[in-house]
């Protein structure tokens, strides 16, 4: 099952990168189940709030993994439309262009096509999520001091994939009948980053109008 939040048997389970699983039986798995249950109630503002008595780092970690999986799946459905030819630069509309740097392997930002950029980005996120010192999966292993800043960078970058899909590939999303799925996923993402102030407003500018539209009904 690609995602219990949006299960519809027909949905392609094609993901862009392998899905990141949270180990069953772990506390993080319980938190994920809690998140899914509250999402089912339809109130996204409530669903993103830190459950009573829970650790903020752990809550952010679980949700970050979940957003990675969701975006992974959404982008997976439109990879045929996002090519070197169709998207020679990584953009979110005419005003916003992204250049890739990860600070370690690629220090100086490079201009590259959207599929290449998203491949770099998702591989980089995957490496962070798989790093036990950053995202400990074992109970009682503390999160590192820099956890929040890493999580913020991950979420800032994942946002860019949403922004690219909305600006450059919305037609295929509609053709594939993925529009409601994309909107629900993005709205959940936005409510989450707003609740904990995780992405700078300037970074959200490419989708500002959409954000206002999606969130105005749920003040």
């Amino acid at each position: 099952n690609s995602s219990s939040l949006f299960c519809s048997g027909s949905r392609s389970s094609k993901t862009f990168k392998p899905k990141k699983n949270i180990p069953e039986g772990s506390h993080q798995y319980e938190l994920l189940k809690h998140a899914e249950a509250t999402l089912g109630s339809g109130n996204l503002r409530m669903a993103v709030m830190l459950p009573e008595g829970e650790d903020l780092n752990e809550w952010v970690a679980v949700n970050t993994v979940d957003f990675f999986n969701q975006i992974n799946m959404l982008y997976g459905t439109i990879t045929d439309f996002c090519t070197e030819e169709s998207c020679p630069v990584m953009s979110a509309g005419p005003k916003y262009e992204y250049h890739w740097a990860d600070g370690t392997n690629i220090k100086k930002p490079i201009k590259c096509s959207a599929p290449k950029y998203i491949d770099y980005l998702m591989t980089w996120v995957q490496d962070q999520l798989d790093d036990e010192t950053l995202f400990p999966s074992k109970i009682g292993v503390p999160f590192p001091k820099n956890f929040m800043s890493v999580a913020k960078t991950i979420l800032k970058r994942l946002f860019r994939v949403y922004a690219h899909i909305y600006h450059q590939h919305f037609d295929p999303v509609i053709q594939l009948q993925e529009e409601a799925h994309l909107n629900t996923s993005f709205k959940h993402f936005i409510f989450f980053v707003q609740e904990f102030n995780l992405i700078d407003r300037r970074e959200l500018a490419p989708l500002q109008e959409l954000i206002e539209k999606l969130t105005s009904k749920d003040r």
Side-chain angles (χ1 to χ4, degrees):
N1 184 341
S2 47
S3 159
S4 49
L5 292 181
F6 307 108
C7 51
S8 70
S10 63
R11 175 153 294 115
S12 140
S13 60
K14 181 175 155 195
T15 57
F16 179 57
K17 296 270 171 207
K19 187 171 186 285
K20 170 80 180 160
N21 287 316
I22 290 176
E24 278 193 52
S26 67
H27 182 62
Q28 292 185 7
Y29 189 78
E30 297 304 311
L31 272 181
L32 182 64
K33 287 284 155 257
H34 168 88
E36 287 175 0
T38 29
L39 278 173
S41 73
N43 184 336
L44 286 172
R45 283 266 180 238
M46 292 287 293
V48 297
M49 288 177 180
L50 180 65
E52 208 175 325
E54 291 298 344
D55 174 50
L56 179 61
N57 284 347
E58 196 154 34
W59 183 238
V60 169
V62 165
N63 282 277
T64 300
V65 169
D66 194 36
F67 289 127
F68 168 76
N69 286 333
Q70 287 183 39
I71 292 167
N72 201 356
M73 201 169 76
L74 286 161
Y75 185 68
T77 61
I78 57 116
T79 46
D80 297 348
F81 305 94
C82 186
T83 63
E84 301 281 328
E85 294 71 46
S86 71
C87 304
V89 295
M90 172 62 179
S91 64
K95 292 213 292 274
Y96 301 97
E97 188 179 307
Y98 300 112
H99 297 173
W100 178 253
D102 59 13
T104 42
N105 301 322
I106 300 172
K107 292 199 167 63
K108 194 171 182 286
I110 55 168
K111 194 169 177 162
C112 53
S113 68
K116 191 162 239 99
Y117 185 101
I118 292 171
D119 191 22
Y120 279 135
L121 186 155
M122 295 299 268
T123 303
W124 177 84
V125 173
Q126 216 173 12
D127 290 344
Q128 311 306 304
L129 300 181
D130 287 340
D131 183 341
E132 281 287 329
T133 63
L134 279 177
F135 280 78
S137 59
K138 294 180 184 62
I139 302 260
V141 176
F143 282 83
K145 297 235 182 327
N146 65 334
F147 173 74
M148 267 309 164
S149 68
V150 173
K152 284 176 177 177
T153 305
I154 292 173
L155 293 165
K156 174 180 82 176
R157 289 178 173 172
L158 288 176
F159 168 82
R160 295 171 181 177
V161 186
Y162 280 119
H164 180 71
I165 295 173
Y166 272 113
H167 276 284
Q168 313 300 135
H169 302 295
F170 201 58
D171 289 342
V173 166
I174 291 170
Q175 284 158 23
L176 294 161
Q177 298 179 320
E178 291 274 336
E179 186 185 355
H181 179 201
L182 174 64
N183 286 343
T184 305
S185 174
F186 181 62
K187 190 170 170 180
H188 179 202
F189 178 88
I190 285 302
F191 279 8
F192 191 81
V193 300
Q194 285 179 344
E195 174 73 13
F196 304 106
N197 208 0
L198 297 167
I199 301 183
D200 197 301
R201 259 184 86 88
R202 284 186 316 246
E203 285 286 338
L204 300 174
L207 293 178
Q208 197 48 51
E209 279 173 40
L210 175 69
I211 291 169
E212 279 162 23
K213 202 172 99 186
L214 288 176
T215 57
S216 63
K217 298 198 249 340
D218 297 271
R219 281 276 174 248

